[in-house]
């Protein structure tokens, strides 16, 4: 009988969270705990700031209360996070700009006891309490009334990706977070004298691992400047300048970093990548161990990891998502929840020590957190991820896309990830994204948006759409062959860093089209921004950020401009420009200056 698709991580070790920080504050009070630009805060200073903040809130915020935090990467954020733990409150990181509607939904439906942020950002009403924090101008908005029920022992809650309108918040206990941090510290060797970047968006759950990993290890957290979140070149420069030894990156930012020559003299030893399917392995010049991590918020940030050792050629293929971490239980099941044989695709279900307590919605918890099937040890319940995976004979998991991405074409069920994989077998293709749309004549048709490898397009037509289609036909059933192939230089991304298929399809529409530019550079800037943001109506007078651009789109814009014109621009300068015409003018000036000095 074939082995079932069940995998177990090695036995886990529990780990403290707040107690470990307090231990370091007493053992090494003068050691650097947080470096923010020119200012360094010691463990003792952070402990004092957290105590002062907790004392200010103590009469109104207690154990089990939700405390929403609307702050960016700063000493204020770290002090408030520590204060929440000292109070036994449930930390709910929302980020510095959560959006008016999203914040209102949190306030109305989750009813946190307290929201902390800048006064103009917070919803009106309730008592306002100024907090004595280094940055200044931060207040706590204390809300009356009863909040939603939070599972006992919850340490933090996080809104899952895609939550709009009705918040879908995951509750994670301290034992689950402590076990994750213990595994991560062992993986990276993080400890005193090390420097860990503080870069991941505050509203996303890997930020919690990043922040607490530094505070519980005796290492220093280093706040990343704003520009490095937009620019892979600036990021690697900063790693070297700041002496970063351990870092976490979202996949869309990690891929261009791995595509560049590795920075000489970098002290980086470990780089953990996660958030989307990684399609680029590190080259042999990479001197850090690269960990391709997978895990939903419902399983405390990380469930599986595939480690790629430094200095080894790992090939050009997409790395797998690896083996379960300590304490994790993974299984691949059919539609009825039964484990399938290894080598057969199915839904990934997760159990074990890292499983979240559930959602702050009992009905949703009952639907997604279900009983473990018979024959599975080490867990009595599992989380249904909705992710389609295959467990190889050696137990390593390969990610094959989302189950809910499946579409029917001419009555045949098609998995877009399989079509994408067929294109990506071709050495001329760096990446492929397949999306389904309603055909003008009725029914559904598939469109493939293909990003060619550098140098593939040329006079010989190597990346010609028809040739690419011909190459995938032998791999696919007739119904799965896309109706058309579109060559793209880059993909529009949503706010969570994933490819926005809706924007890709919207860009297919011929109308409306914005005003064209007056110069060749203006027209190029408009073309790039329309592709990146997924809006065909952008014109020269539109502002990049106001039109829907985000940090990930800006990073790709900077890389595209560098590739097109051979100039290096910094994100803050570009983003200060009032409109796209001004961005083009800036490019023209830099090109002229570069030519004058050549």
């Amino acid at each position: 009988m074939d082995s079932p698709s069940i995998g177990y991580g090695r036995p886990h070790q529990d780990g403290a969270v707040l107690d470990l920080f307090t231990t370091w504050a007493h053992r090494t009070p003068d050691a650097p705990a947080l470096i923010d630009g020119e200012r360094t805060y010691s463990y003792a200073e952070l402990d004092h700031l957290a105590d002062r903040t907790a004392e200010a809130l103590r009469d109104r915020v207690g154990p089990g209360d939700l405390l929403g935090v609307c702050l960016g990467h700063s000493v204020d954020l770290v002090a408030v996070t520590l204060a929440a733990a000292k109070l036994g409150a449930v930390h709910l990181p929302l980020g510095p700009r959560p959006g008016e509607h999203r914040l209102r939904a949190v306030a109305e439906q989750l009813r946190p006891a307290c929201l902390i942020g800048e006064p103009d950002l917070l919803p009106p009403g309730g008592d306002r309490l100024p907090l004595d924090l280094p940055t200044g101008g931060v207040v706590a908005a204390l809300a009356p009334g009863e909040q939603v029920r939070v599972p006992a022992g919850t340490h933090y809650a996080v809104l899952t990706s895609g939550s709009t309108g009705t918040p879908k918040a995951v509750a994670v206990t301290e034992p689950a977070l402590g076990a994750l941090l213990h595994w991560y510290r062992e993986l990276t060797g993080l400890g005193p004298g090390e420097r860990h970047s503080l870069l991941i968006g505050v509203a996303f759950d890997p930020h919690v691992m990043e922040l607490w990993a530094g505070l519980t290890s005796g290492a220093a957290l280093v706040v990343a400047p704003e520009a490095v979140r937009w620019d892979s070149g600036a990021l690697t420069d900063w790693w070297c300048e700041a002496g970063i030894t351990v870092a976490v990156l979202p996949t869309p930012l990690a891929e261009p970093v791995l595509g560049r020559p590795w920075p000489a003299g970098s002290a980086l030893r470990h780089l953990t990548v996660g958030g989307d399917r990684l399609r680029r392995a590190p080259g042999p010049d990479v001197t850090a161990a690269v960990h391709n991590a997978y895990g939903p918020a419902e399983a405390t940030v990380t469930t599986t990891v595939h480690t790629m050792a430094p200095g080894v050629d790992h090939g050009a293929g997409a790395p797998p998502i690896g083996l379960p971490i300590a304490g994790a239980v993974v299984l691949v099941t059919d539609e009825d929840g039964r484990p399938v044989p290894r080598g057969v695709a199915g839904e990934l279900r997760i159990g074990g020590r890292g499983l979240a307590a559930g959602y702050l919605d009992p009905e949703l918890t009952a639907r997604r957190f279900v009983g473990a099937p018979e024959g599975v040890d080490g867990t009595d319940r599992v989380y249904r991820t909705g992710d389609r995976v295959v467990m190889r004979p050696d137990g390593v998991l390969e990610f094959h896309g989302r189950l809910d991405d499946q579409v029917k074409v001419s009555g045949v069920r098609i998995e877009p990830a399989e079509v994408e994989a067929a294109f990506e077998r071709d050495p001329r293709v760096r990446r492929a994204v397949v999306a389904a749309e309603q055909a003008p004549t009725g029914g559904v048709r598939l469109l493939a948006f293909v990003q060619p490898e550098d140098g593939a397009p040329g006079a010989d037509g190597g990346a010609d759409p028809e040739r690419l289609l011909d190459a995938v036909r032998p791999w696919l059933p007739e119904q799965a062959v896309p109706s058309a192939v579109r060559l793209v230089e880059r993909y529009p991304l949503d706010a969570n860093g994933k490819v926005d298929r809706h924007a890709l399809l919207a860009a297919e529409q011929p109308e409306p089209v914005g005003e064209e530019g007056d110069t060749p550079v203006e027209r190029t800037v408009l073309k790039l921004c329309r592709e990146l943001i997924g809006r065909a109506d952008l014109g020269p007078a539109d502002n990049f950020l106001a039109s829907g651009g985000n940090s990930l789109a800006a990073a790709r814009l900077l890389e595209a401009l560098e590739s097109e014109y051979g100039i290096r621009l910094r994100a803050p300068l570009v983003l200060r420009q009032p409109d796209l015409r001004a961005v083009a003018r800036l490019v023209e000036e830099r090109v002229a200056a570069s030519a004058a000095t050549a």
Side-chain angles (χ1 to χ4, degrees), residues 20-38:
L20 271 180
F21 166 77
T22 304
T23 297
W24 287 113
H26 291 156
R27 184 187 300 175
T28 58
D30 298 326
L34 180 71
I35 301 171
D36 188 357
E38 299 299 318

Side-chain angles (χ1 to χ4, degrees), residues 52-63:
R52 191 169 69 196
T53 304
E55 192 58 36
L57 297 170
R58 193 173 301 280
D59 290 341
R60 301 294 295 272
V61 178

Side-chain angles (χ1 to χ4, degrees), residues 91-150:
H91 175 219
L92 176 64
L94 299 170
R97 294 176 292 276
E100 179 184 352
H101 297 296
R102 188 175 179 88
L103 190 57
R104 185 183 301 127
V106 169
E108 292 177 353
Q109 296 172 44
L110 299 182
R111 299 189 296 278
C114 178
L115 286 172
I116 293 178
E118 296 179 3
D120 294 343
L121 177 69
L122 303 181
D127 297 336
R128 299 290 180 101
L129 174 67
L131 296 177
D132 185 11
L133 291 167
T135 303
V138 174
V139 302
L142 303 162
E146 185 177 352
Q147 69 178 22
V148 298
R149 181 180 175 275
V150 178

Side-chain angles (χ1 to χ4, degrees), residues 86-449:
K86 287 173 179 281
L87 292 166
V90 177
H91 175 219
L92 176 64
L94 299 170
R97 294 176 292 276
E100 179 184 352
H101 297 296
R102 188 175 179 88
L103 190 57
R104 185 183 301 127
V106 169
E108 292 177 353
Q109 296 172 44
L110 299 182
R111 299 189 296 278
C114 178
L115 286 172
I116 293 178
E118 296 179 3
D120 294 343
L121 177 69
L122 303 181
D127 297 336
R128 299 290 180 101
L129 174 67
L131 296 177
D132 185 11
L133 291 167
T135 303
V138 174
V139 302
L142 303 162
E146 185 177 352
Q147 69 178 22
V148 298
R149 181 180 175 275
V150 178
T154 300
H155 184 273
Y156 73 89
V158 64
L159 300 186
T160 58
S161 61
S163 296
T164 56
T166 302
K168 191 170 84 173
V170 179
V172 177
T173 63
E174 180 169 2
L177 177 60
L180 171 81
L181 295 173
H182 189 281
W183 163 81
Y184 183 70
R185 290 191 300 267
E186 281 196 331
L187 177 76
T188 60
L190 192 61
E194 301 281 337
R195 292 189 170 195
H196 196 301
S197 60
L198 187 61
L199 178 145
I200 297 294
V202 174
F204 303 124
D205 60 309
H207 158 75
V208 179
M209 181 180 80
E210 183 182 54
L211 183 146
W212 280 109
L215 296 178
T216 59
S217 66
L221 287 169
V222 187
V223 175
E226 192 65 26
V228 312
R229 300 184 181 92
W230 310 69
D231 184 334
S232 58
L235 171 64
T236 54
D237 290 347
W238 174 71
W239 278 348
C240 295
E241 294 163 4
I244 302 300
T245 58
V246 183
V248 180
L249 284 183
T251 307
L253 185 53
E255 286 183 330
V257 166
L258 295 176
R260 304 175 67 96
W262 194 251
S266 171
L268 193 73
R269 298 185 301 102
H270 290 273
L271 173 62
T272 301
V273 178
D276 203 347
R277 178 164 37 167
L278 180 64
R279 298 173 187 253
R280 183 186 291 274
D285 65 329
V286 174
T287 57
V290 179
H291 311 284
N292 185 32
Y294 163 89
E298 290 85 350
T300 316
V301 184
T302 301
T303 301
T304 67
V305 69
H306 175 70
T307 295
M308 292 165 279
V312 176
D313 189 348
H314 300 282
I321 59 174
L323 294 166
I325 70 168
V329 178
V330 296
L331 51 151
V332 185
T333 71
D334 59 19
E335 292 181 356
D336 295 322
R338 296 185 297 256
V340 299
R342 296 194 178 193
V344 175
E347 180 184 16
L348 177 60
R349 301 191 184 202
I350 299 171
R353 187 59 166 174
L355 208 58
Y359 298 103
L360 303 188
D361 177 343
E363 292 184 7
L364 183 58
T365 300
R367 289 200 302 271
R368 299 298 295 275
F369 291 81
V370 300
E374 187 176 347
V376 175
D377 301 323
T379 189
D380 57 3
R381 64 189 188 117
V382 292
Y383 167 67
R384 299 188 60 179
T385 66
D387 288 331
R388 189 171 185 268
V389 301
V390 170
M391 182 177 287
R392 301 189 322 206
D394 60 1
V396 171
L397 289 170
E398 295 178 346
F399 183 83
H400 284 216
R402 289 285 301 172
L403 290 171
D404 51 16
D405 284 342
Q406 289 181 341
V407 295
K408 275 192 174 181
V409 180
S410 301
V412 177
R413 188 174 297 279
I414 304 297
E415 180 67 59
E418 291 184 1
V419 184
E420 293 165 359
F423 277 99
E424 290 165 5
R425 292 175 182 269
D426 193 318
R428 296 168 294 186
V429 174
R430 175 181 298 175
R431 184 173 184 181
V433 171
V434 173
E437 70 168 3
Q438 292 296 315
T441 56
V444 174
R445 69 173 182 172
L446 297 179
L447 295 176
F449 298 87

Side-chain angles (χ1 to χ4, degrees), residues 458-485:
D460 63 351
D464 176 76
E466 288 304 319
R467 292 192 182 191
L468 295 177
L469 268 180
D470 288 342
V472 300
R473 291 183 198 278
W475 296 98
L476 299 171
E478 181 182 359
Q479 296 87 349
V481 176
S483 301
V485 171

Side-chain angles (χ1 to χ4, degrees), residues 501-589:
R501 285 175 167 80
H502 294 295
L504 278 172
L505 292 172
E508 282 289 293
Q509 305 303 318
E511 296 292 338
V513 176
E515 176 190 350
E516 295 300 329
D518 295 329
T519 69
V521 174
E522 273 191 26
R523 289 190 284 273
T524 298
V525 168
L526 282 171
K527 176 178 179 292
L528 292 171
C529 291
R530 287 169 180 171
E531 291 174 355
L532 289 166
I533 298 175
R535 286 184 50 181
D537 62 336
L538 289 182
D542 288 314
N543 176 271
F544 182 84
L545 291 175
S547 299
N550 57 33
S551 61
L552 296 165
R556 278 153 175 75
L557 174 62
L558 293 174
E559 288 173 5
L561 292 174
E562 182 178 1
S563 174
E564 181 76 17
Y565 297 107
I567 58 169
R568 178 81 173 274
L569 298 176
R570 295 291 184 178
L573 178 61
V574 171
L575 296 174
R576 283 199 299 269
Q577 305 306 311
D579 53 35
L580 299 181
R581 179 175 286 118
V583 173
R585 193 159 52 243
L586 179 64
V587 172
E588 291 167 344
E589 292 170 356

